[in-house]
Amino acid sequence: MTRQLNRMNFVKMVPTGSNTVFCFQFKHYKTGELLHVVWTLRGTRPVSVAAAASEKLTVSDSMDNRPAS
């Protein structure tokens, strides 16, 4: 996660509607690229992301692994 947060600035906490799921938004200081970090305190939870069709989404775990497609 430190590689992904390199040169990112904290923007805000994004409400999730859950007391055990958290989401923070970060923004690259130069390019403006957004990064959202989502985690849960216990177990697993489904996550839905609303994005425009033109947006590129990348999913990584805390160890910088991408799930197999």
Side-chain angles (χ1 to χ4, degrees):
M1 178 156 3
T2 56
R3 182 188 69 81
Q4 294 176 2
L5 288 174
N6 187 31
R7 300 184 182 193
M8 295 284 194
N9 295 320
F10 174 78
V11 176
K12 65 181 178 178
M13 182 174 176
V14 179
T16 63
S18 171
N19 291 329
T20 60
V21 178
F22 301 92
C23 179
F24 285 171
Q25 183 183 71
F26 296 86
K27 188 175 189 177
H28 191 274
Y29 81 101
K30 194 172 189 180
T31 65
E33 175 187 6
L34 292 178
L35 171 73
H36 290 84
V37 178
V38 181
W39 74 97
T40 182
L41 294 181
R42 43 182 178 176
T44 59
R45 304 285 190 270
V47 174
S48 298
V49 177
S54 62
E55 294 291 326
K56 180 185 174 203
L57 299 178
T58 304
V59 177
S60 301
D61 67 12
S62 62
M63 300 304 289
D64 206 17
N65 298 309
R66 296 200 172 130
S69 0

